[in-house]
Short mmCIF file of all heavy atoms in Angstrom, two decimals:
data_model
loop_
_atom_site.label_atom_id
_atom_site.label_comp_id
_atom_site.label_asym_id
_atom_site.label_seq_id
_atom_site.Cartn_x
_atom_site.Cartn_y
_atom_site.Cartn_z
N PRO A 26 0.84 -1.22 -0.06
CA PRO A 26 0.04 0.03 0.02
C PRO A 26 0.90 1.27 -0.04
O PRO A 26 1.99 1.27 0.55
CB PRO A 26 -0.80 -0.11 1.32
CG PRO A 26 -0.73 -1.53 1.73
CD PRO A 26 0.59 -2.04 1.19
N ASP A 27 0.37 2.29 -0.51
CA ASP A 27 1.07 3.63 -0.73
C ASP A 27 0.78 4.37 0.58
O ASP A 27 -0.37 4.79 0.92
CB ASP A 27 0.62 4.34 -1.85
CG ASP A 27 1.48 5.54 -2.25
OD1 ASP A 27 2.27 6.01 -1.41
OD2 ASP A 27 1.34 6.08 -3.38
N PRO A 28 1.91 4.72 1.29
CA PRO A 28 1.62 5.55 2.55
C PRO A 28 1.08 6.97 2.13
O PRO A 28 0.62 7.66 3.10
CB PRO A 28 3.12 5.68 3.15
CG PRO A 28 3.83 4.57 2.53
CD PRO A 28 3.27 4.30 1.13
N ALA A 29 1.23 7.34 0.96
CA ALA A 29 0.65 8.68 0.53
C ALA A 29 -0.84 8.56 0.28
O ALA A 29 -1.40 9.62 -0.06
CB ALA A 29 1.40 9.23 -0.60
N ASP A 30 -1.39 7.43 0.40
CA ASP A 30 -2.83 7.20 0.07
C ASP A 30 -3.63 7.13 1.33
O ASP A 30 -3.31 6.27 2.19
CB ASP A 30 -3.02 5.96 -0.76
CG ASP A 30 -4.49 5.65 -1.12
OD1 ASP A 30 -5.29 6.44 -0.83
OD2 ASP A 30 -4.68 4.60 -1.77
N ALA A 31 -4.64 7.99 1.52
CA ALA A 31 -5.42 7.95 2.76
C ALA A 31 -6.16 6.66 2.87
O ALA A 31 -6.63 6.27 4.11
CB ALA A 31 -6.37 9.16 2.87
N ALA A 32 -6.39 6.03 1.82
CA ALA A 32 -7.14 4.73 1.90
C ALA A 32 -6.23 3.43 2.01
O ALA A 32 -6.63 2.39 1.80
CB ALA A 32 -8.02 4.53 0.62
N ALA A 33 -4.93 3.72 2.23
CA ALA A 33 -4.00 2.63 2.26
C ALA A 33 -4.35 1.58 3.29
O ALA A 33 -4.11 0.31 3.18
CB ALA A 33 -2.56 3.10 2.48
N ALA A 34 -4.87 2.04 4.46
CA ALA A 34 -5.32 1.05 5.45
C ALA A 34 -6.37 0.04 5.00
O ALA A 34 -6.46 -1.15 5.37
CB ALA A 34 -5.73 1.78 6.77
N HIS A 35 -7.27 0.55 4.11
CA HIS A 35 -8.22 -0.38 3.47
C HIS A 35 -7.52 -1.34 2.58
O HIS A 35 -7.86 -2.52 2.52
CB HIS A 35 -9.23 0.42 2.73
CG HIS A 35 -10.18 -0.56 2.03
ND1 HIS A 35 -10.19 -0.69 0.67
CD2 HIS A 35 -11.10 -1.46 2.43
CE1 HIS A 35 -10.99 -1.58 0.24
NE2 HIS A 35 -11.61 -2.09 1.39
N GLU A 36 -6.45 -0.94 1.81
CA GLU A 36 -5.71 -1.82 1.07
C GLU A 36 -5.22 -3.04 1.85
O GLU A 36 -5.19 -4.16 1.41
CB GLU A 36 -4.60 -1.08 0.28
CG GLU A 36 -3.75 -1.99 -0.64
CD GLU A 36 -4.59 -2.37 -1.88
OE1 GLU A 36 -5.49 -1.67 -2.22
OE2 GLU A 36 -4.21 -3.40 -2.50
N VAL A 37 -4.70 -2.73 3.09
CA VAL A 37 -4.14 -3.72 3.93
C VAL A 37 -5.38 -4.71 4.31
O VAL A 37 -5.20 -5.89 4.24
CB VAL A 37 -3.59 -3.09 5.22
CG1 VAL A 37 -3.32 -4.20 6.26
CG2 VAL A 37 -2.35 -2.33 4.99
N ALA A 38 -6.48 -4.12 4.64
CA ALA A 38 -7.70 -5.00 4.99
C ALA A 38 -8.16 -5.78 3.79
O ALA A 38 -8.44 -6.98 3.93
CB ALA A 38 -8.78 -4.11 5.53
N TRP A 39 -8.23 -5.18 2.67
CA TRP A 39 -8.75 -5.98 1.45
C TRP A 39 -7.86 -7.06 1.13
O TRP A 39 -8.42 -8.16 0.86
CB TRP A 39 -8.78 -4.88 0.28
CG TRP A 39 -8.93 -5.43 -1.09
CD1 TRP A 39 -7.90 -5.53 -1.99
CD2 TRP A 39 -10.09 -5.90 -1.75
NE1 TRP A 39 -8.44 -6.13 -3.14
CE2 TRP A 39 -9.76 -6.35 -3.02
CE3 TRP A 39 -11.47 -5.98 -1.32
CZ2 TRP A 39 -10.70 -6.85 -3.88
CZ3 TRP A 39 -12.39 -6.55 -2.22
CH2 TRP A 39 -12.00 -6.92 -3.48
N ALA A 40 -6.54 -6.83 1.07
CA ALA A 40 -5.59 -7.86 0.68
C ALA A 40 -5.68 -9.00 1.81
O ALA A 40 -5.68 -10.26 1.37
CB ALA A 40 -4.16 -7.33 0.62
N GLY A 41 -5.78 -8.67 3.07
CA GLY A 41 -5.81 -9.64 4.08
C GLY A 41 -7.13 -10.46 4.00
O GLY A 41 -6.97 -11.72 4.07
N ASP A 42 -8.21 -9.90 3.78
CA ASP A 42 -9.44 -10.66 3.74
C ASP A 42 -9.45 -11.52 2.46
O ASP A 42 -10.01 -12.62 2.47
CB ASP A 42 -10.66 -9.62 3.70
CG ASP A 42 -10.93 -8.97 5.03
OD1 ASP A 42 -10.20 -9.39 6.08
OD2 ASP A 42 -11.66 -8.03 5.11
N LEU A 43 -8.88 -11.02 1.40
CA LEU A 43 -8.82 -11.81 0.14
C LEU A 43 -7.94 -13.10 0.34
O LEU A 43 -8.25 -14.21 -0.03
CB LEU A 43 -8.31 -10.93 -1.07
CG LEU A 43 -8.05 -11.75 -2.31
CD1 LEU A 43 -9.32 -12.42 -2.79
CD2 LEU A 43 -7.57 -10.79 -3.38
N MET A 44 -6.78 -12.87 0.92
CA MET A 44 -5.85 -13.94 1.19
C MET A 44 -6.50 -15.04 2.11
O MET A 44 -6.43 -16.28 1.95
CB MET A 44 -4.52 -13.58 1.74
CG MET A 44 -3.68 -12.74 0.89
SD MET A 44 -3.31 -13.54 -0.69
CE MET A 44 -4.05 -12.38 -1.87
N ARG A 45 -7.25 -14.54 3.18
CA ARG A 45 -7.93 -15.48 4.03
C ARG A 45 -9.02 -16.23 3.26
O ARG A 45 -9.28 -17.39 3.45
CB ARG A 45 -8.60 -14.65 5.20
CG ARG A 45 -9.06 -15.52 6.26
CD ARG A 45 -9.62 -14.65 7.53
NE ARG A 45 -10.80 -13.99 7.13
CZ ARG A 45 -10.95 -12.68 7.02
NH1 ARG A 45 -9.92 -11.86 7.07
NH2 ARG A 45 -12.12 -12.16 6.64
N GLY A 46 -9.71 -15.61 2.37
CA GLY A 46 -10.68 -16.31 1.50
C GLY A 46 -9.93 -17.32 0.61
O GLY A 46 -10.46 -18.44 0.52
N LEU A 47 -8.81 -16.98 0.08
CA LEU A 47 -8.12 -17.96 -0.74
C LEU A 47 -7.63 -19.19 0.11
O LEU A 47 -7.40 -20.23 -0.43
CB LEU A 47 -6.94 -17.26 -1.46
CG LEU A 47 -7.32 -16.29 -2.46
CD1 LEU A 47 -6.17 -15.36 -2.81
CD2 LEU A 47 -7.76 -16.96 -3.80
N ALA A 48 -7.42 -18.93 1.38
CA ALA A 48 -6.96 -20.00 2.30
C ALA A 48 -8.13 -20.73 2.91
O ALA A 48 -7.99 -21.38 3.90
CB ALA A 48 -6.05 -19.40 3.44
N ASP A 49 -9.31 -20.67 2.32
CA ASP A 49 -10.53 -21.32 2.72
C ASP A 49 -10.86 -20.86 4.19
O ASP A 49 -11.38 -21.67 4.92
CB ASP A 49 -10.34 -22.88 2.81
CG ASP A 49 -9.96 -23.39 1.44
OD1 ASP A 49 -10.52 -22.79 0.39
OD2 ASP A 49 -9.09 -24.26 1.41
N GLY A 50 -10.67 -19.61 4.45
CA GLY A 50 -11.00 -18.97 5.76
C GLY A 50 -9.97 -19.22 6.75
O GLY A 50 -10.13 -18.80 7.94
N ARG A 51 -8.81 -19.83 6.48
CA ARG A 51 -7.75 -20.18 7.44
C ARG A 51 -6.65 -19.02 7.31
O ARG A 51 -6.68 -18.24 6.33
CB ARG A 51 -7.13 -21.54 7.14
CG ARG A 51 -8.10 -22.64 7.18
CD ARG A 51 -8.54 -22.90 8.61
NE ARG A 51 -7.45 -23.48 9.35
CZ ARG A 51 -7.30 -23.51 10.71
NH1 ARG A 51 -8.28 -22.88 11.43
NH2 ARG A 51 -6.37 -24.05 11.30
N PRO A 52 -5.74 -19.05 8.18
CA PRO A 52 -4.65 -18.06 8.20
C PRO A 52 -3.74 -18.15 6.99
O PRO A 52 -3.75 -19.13 6.27
CB PRO A 52 -3.84 -18.34 9.48
CG PRO A 52 -4.87 -18.99 10.43
CD PRO A 52 -5.67 -19.78 9.53
N TRP A 53 -2.94 -17.14 6.74
CA TRP A 53 -2.02 -17.06 5.62
C TRP A 53 -0.79 -16.34 6.03
O TRP A 53 -0.62 -16.02 7.27
CB TRP A 53 -2.76 -16.28 4.49
CG TRP A 53 -3.31 -14.93 4.94
CD1 TRP A 53 -4.40 -14.70 5.66
CD2 TRP A 53 -2.62 -13.59 4.79
NE1 TRP A 53 -4.60 -13.39 5.91
CE2 TRP A 53 -3.53 -12.70 5.37
CE3 TRP A 53 -1.45 -13.20 4.17
CZ2 TRP A 53 -3.19 -11.30 5.42
CZ3 TRP A 53 -1.19 -11.84 4.21
CH2 TRP A 53 -2.04 -10.97 4.80
N ILE A 54 0.10 -16.10 5.11
CA ILE A 54 1.41 -15.43 5.44
C ILE A 54 1.57 -14.22 4.52
O ILE A 54 1.42 -14.34 3.33
CB ILE A 54 2.57 -16.42 5.39
CG1 ILE A 54 2.59 -17.40 6.49
CG2 ILE A 54 3.88 -15.63 5.35
CD1 ILE A 54 3.78 -18.39 6.57
N LEU A 55 2.00 -13.13 5.04
CA LEU A 55 2.36 -12.01 4.30
C LEU A 55 3.85 -12.26 3.90
O LEU A 55 4.72 -12.29 4.84
CB LEU A 55 2.34 -10.66 5.10
CG LEU A 55 2.77 -9.46 4.28
CD1 LEU A 55 1.84 -9.11 3.14
CD2 LEU A 55 2.97 -8.20 5.24
N MET A 56 4.19 -12.43 2.61
CA MET A 56 5.48 -12.86 2.20
C MET A 56 6.31 -11.54 1.91
O MET A 56 7.55 -11.59 2.19
CB MET A 56 5.38 -13.60 0.93
CG MET A 56 6.76 -14.29 0.48
SD MET A 56 7.33 -15.43 1.76
CE MET A 56 6.20 -16.82 1.53
N GLU A 57 5.70 -10.46 1.51
CA GLU A 57 6.47 -9.26 1.25
C GLU A 57 5.60 -7.96 1.63
O GLU A 57 4.41 -7.91 1.32
CB GLU A 57 6.89 -9.10 -0.29
CG GLU A 57 7.87 -10.06 -0.67
CD GLU A 57 8.26 -9.84 -2.14
OE1 GLU A 57 8.04 -8.64 -2.66
OE2 GLU A 57 8.85 -10.78 -2.85
N GLN A 58 6.24 -7.08 2.28
CA GLN A 58 5.81 -5.69 2.42
C GLN A 58 7.06 -4.78 2.53
O GLN A 58 8.17 -5.38 2.70
CB GLN A 58 4.87 -5.48 3.59
CG GLN A 58 5.53 -5.55 4.99
CD GLN A 58 4.70 -5.12 6.10
OE1 GLN A 58 3.74 -4.42 5.96
NE2 GLN A 58 4.97 -5.42 7.31
N ALA A 59 6.96 -3.49 2.41
CA ALA A 59 8.09 -2.72 2.53
C ALA A 59 8.27 -2.12 3.95
O ALA A 59 7.35 -1.63 4.51
CB ALA A 59 8.04 -1.50 1.58
N PRO A 60 9.46 -2.25 4.50
CA PRO A 60 9.70 -1.65 5.86
C PRO A 60 9.58 -0.07 5.74
O PRO A 60 9.15 0.57 6.76
CB PRO A 60 11.09 -1.97 6.24
CG PRO A 60 11.41 -3.22 5.39
CD PRO A 60 10.69 -3.01 4.05
N GLY A 61 9.83 0.47 4.62
CA GLY A 61 9.74 1.91 4.45
C GLY A 61 9.09 2.20 3.04
O GLY A 61 8.00 1.87 2.69
#
């Protein structure tokens, strides 16, 4: 997500809920994000 985007927190939620759906409702792993 772009820190310059006010909706970036939703991008975090959207991606997480999608991955959980792909995992049949089970947990998943974030493989990459940027520290900065």
Side-chain angles (χ1 to χ4, degrees):
D27 190 346
D30 181 2
H35 173 250
E36 182 69 26
V37 173
W39 165 259
D42 290 349
L43 175 56
M44 292 305 120
R45 196 176 68 250
L47 291 164
D49 303 323
R51 301 289 291 159
W53 52 281
I54 285 180
L55 179 69
M56 192 63 72
E57 290 185 20
Q58 69 169 342

